[in-house]
Amino acid sequence: EELANRGERYPFHQPNQLFHSDGDQGYSDVTAQAGPAFALSEVSRALAKGDLDNDGDVDLVQVNNGGPARLLVNSVGSDRHWLGVRLVGGDGTDGEGEMYGARLELIRTGGSPIWRWVRADGSFGASNDARVLYGLGGEDGEVSLAIHWPAGGTRVMRLPALDRYLTFWEGRP
């Protein structure tokens, strides 16, 4: 109310924030370490996430009301192991599309499975990269991937190579 009374053009602005997942422990506020874009107070309307530079970490595109769009390139995680997966339906010619609703299970030696869904939703006014990205940190052993297709059926395979994107088509070996 105070900002509106002072005649602020966008009185409902809020400080930008960034949180880091601590797994089952919740989230840590890492805004202070995130760079100058997070020192601003804005009216943000959309946030899209995806690996825009294909280096294995999540980048962000932020759209602001009455302000510039911001490309926030993540350069912190690209020195760690990762695996990216794209799931495609159709015959590879006509009708090809992302397999929204498919579930992926990354099986690690000595660790619990990591589950992900193929999806592109997440923010008002924006759509995310539908590729699934697993951050694996220092893990460099062999992993297995189980793909649970939306129409039924499961495909399981060993993946000896990390730090790359792989594409799998439903119904293809």
Side-chain angles (χ1 to χ4, degrees), residues 133-147:
L133 187 60
Y134 288 99
L136 300 174
E139 187 168 331
D140 57 4
E142 198 170 79
V143 298
S144 295
L145 183 70
I147 302 170

Side-chain angles (χ1 to χ4, degrees), residues 4-6 22 25-26 29 36 60-61 64 69 87 89 92 131 136 138 140 146 157 161 167 171:
N5 289 339
R6 282 198 323 219
D22 297 325
Q25 274 65 81
D29 186 345
L60 304 172
V61 177
N64 296 298
L87 299 184
R131 298 176 300 175
L136 300 174
D140 57 4
M157 68 213 86
T167 300

Side-chain angles (χ1 to χ4, degrees), residues 15-19 37-38 42-50 52 58-65 68-73 119-129:
N16 291 328
Q17 295 176 292
L18 185 65
F19 294 89
F38 289 92
E42 302 173 299
V43 180
S44 300
R45 288 293 182 232
L47 184 70
K49 63 180 178 138
L52 299 175
V58 178
D59 306 304
L60 304 172
V61 177
Q62 174 189 8
V63 179
N64 296 298
N65 190 7
R70 295 196 190 336
L71 172 60
L72 305 169
V73 178
R119 52 188 280 186
D121 63 330
S123 174
F124 169 79
S127 186
N128 296 319
D129 187 348

